[in-house]
């Protein structure tokens, strides 16, 4: 029997890579639009988390996603800037979700649990977190800054809610905003030092920082003193932090 000749277009040719390539492309097109967009954002977020944003290009995202550069542009016509903002918004939403306060534990234990979640996020997104908070990135814009500010406002609202405050006065608001800045600064220092500081020790130090800052504010603000008195009752009579708060309140 005469052997059937093979050609470059013959789908049965073993050395022809086109069938596998066509299969991959065909599978790629079958993904729903929203699912593909989410996949590109997830890939970009991993890259932005491991390297400063200015060091990540669209070609890097396309390669990591197994896609082409034109396809990335199809979903993000604004290019890298639009993709970065979408990835940043996703990260911001994830970070905000970690502000959830557990239902059990004393106020200081609950605050420590929230900080655990915060530092877990910092560890997962170290390069991106550092570049973002330090500012000066070539991809930083008013929109990206607004996303970061949204996270800080969410942290402010959640902290005040944790304290049982519906309407905070200027001094109590300043206290919480200042403490959030301390948390951010401590996180950057932790990364700069190669995470050599034990994270649980850093977490406890930040809880104590809040206690100290709140006690100092209570000396000048009746609302903060009232909040601390309420927290003191929930901490328990033998808690070390409770003793420190009592001493601060008595000093008033």
């Amino acid at each position: 029997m005469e052997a059937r000749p093979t050609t470059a277009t013959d789908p049965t040719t073993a050395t022809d890579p086109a069938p596998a390539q066509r299969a991959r492309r065909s599978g790629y097109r079958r993904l729903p639009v929203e699912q593909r967009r989410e996949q590109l954002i997830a890939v970009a977020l991993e890259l932005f988390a491991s390297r400063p944003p200015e060091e990540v290009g669209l070609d890097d995202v396309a390669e990591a996603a197994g896609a082409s550069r034109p396809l990335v542009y199809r979903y993000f016509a604004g290019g890298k800037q639009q993709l970065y903002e979408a990835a940043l918004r996703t990260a911001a939403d994830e970070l905000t979700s970690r502000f959830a306060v557990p239902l059990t534990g004393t106020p200081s234990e609950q605050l420590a649990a929230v900080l655990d979640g915060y530092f877990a996020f910092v560890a997962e997104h170290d390069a991106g977190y550092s570049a973002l908070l330090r500012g000066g990135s070539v991809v930083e814009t008013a929109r990206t800054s607004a996303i970061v500010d949204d996270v800080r406002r969410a942290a402010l609202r959640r902290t005040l809610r944790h304290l049982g405050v519906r309407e905070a006065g200027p001094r109590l608001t300043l206290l919480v905003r200042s403490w959030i800045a301390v948390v951010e600064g401590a996180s950057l220092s932790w990364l700069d030092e190669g995470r050599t500081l034990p994270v649980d020790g850093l977490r406890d130090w930040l809880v104590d920082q809040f206690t100290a800052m709140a006690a100092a504010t209570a000396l000048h603000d009746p609302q903060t003193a009232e909040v601390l008195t309420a927290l003191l009752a929930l901490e328990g009579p033998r808690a070390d932090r409770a003793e420190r708060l009592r001493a601060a309140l008595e000093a008033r």
Side-chain angles (χ1 to χ4, degrees):
M1 180 181 296
E2 182 179 359
R4 183 168 60 89
T6 60
T7 67
T9 59
D10 189 341
T12 63
T13 304
T15 58
D16 179 14
Q21 293 174 351
R22 285 196 297 271
R24 284 196 297 269
R25 286 196 290 268
S26 175
Y28 196 93
R29 287 194 297 269
R30 281 198 295 269
L31 281 177
V33 171
E34 188 58 30
Q35 184 178 345
R36 177 58 62 197
R37 184 178 186 277
E38 291 176 357
Q39 186 238 11
L40 290 173
I41 290 175
V43 169
L45 187 57
E46 289 182 7
L47 293 175
F48 288 131
S50 60
R51 284 143 58 185
E54 56 268 26
E55 295 181 6
V56 178
L58 280 185
D59 289 336
D60 298 319
V61 177
E63 180 180 358
S68 65
R69 184 185 179 97
L71 190 138
V72 177
Y73 266 111
R74 185 186 306 171
Y75 286 89
F76 299 96
K80 172 180 172 177
Q81 187 64 43
Q82 183 185 3
L83 179 56
Y84 175 67
E85 290 172 8
L88 180 60
R89 172 55 68 187
T90 299
D93 291 343
E94 180 186 346
L95 177 56
T96 301
S97 72
R98 302 194 187 196
F99 295 159
V101 178
L103 299 177
T104 59
T106 66
S108 60
E109 290 170 345
Q110 292 172 329
L111 185 58
V114 174
L115 287 171
D116 282 337
Y118 187 93
F119 275 100
F121 178 89
V122 173
E124 294 165 14
H125 303 84
D126 51 359
Y129 179 91
S130 180
L132 179 65
L133 289 189
R134 293 186 195 282
S137 171
V138 296
V139 294
E140 182 181 8
T141 66
R143 288 191 297 273
T144 60
S145 297
I147 292 173
V148 178
D149 287 340
D150 285 345
V151 175
R152 289 169 176 155
R153 282 191 288 270
L156 173 65
R157 290 193 302 271
R158 297 285 182 91
T159 304
L160 290 174
R161 187 185 309 167
H162 173 60
L163 297 176
V165 177
R166 290 187 177 181
E167 295 186 13
R171 288 186 182 275
L172 182 55
T173 300
L174 178 60
L175 158 66
V176 177
R177 286 187 184 277
S178 299
W179 182 73
I180 291 171
V182 172
V183 173
E184 291 179 356
S187 301
L188 291 174
S189 295
W190 182 62
L191 293 176
D192 286 344
E193 297 298 326
R195 310 184 195 182
T196 54
L197 290 173
V199 70
D200 54 346
L202 185 57
R203 172 205 63 205
D204 292 343
W205 177 78
L206 286 168
V207 173
D208 285 341
Q209 280 291 319
F210 183 82
T211 301
M213 293 171 68
T217 306
L219 297 175
H220 306 274
D221 180 46
Q223 183 184 35
T224 303
E226 181 180 350
V227 169
L228 283 180
T229 300
L231 292 177
L232 180 63
L234 297 174
E235 280 292 325
R238 297 181 180 179
D240 290 340
R241 290 188 178 94
E243 291 300 326
R244 280 178 250 168
L245 287 179
R246 284 195 186 88
L249 291 172
E250 290 172 0
R252 297 180 70 251

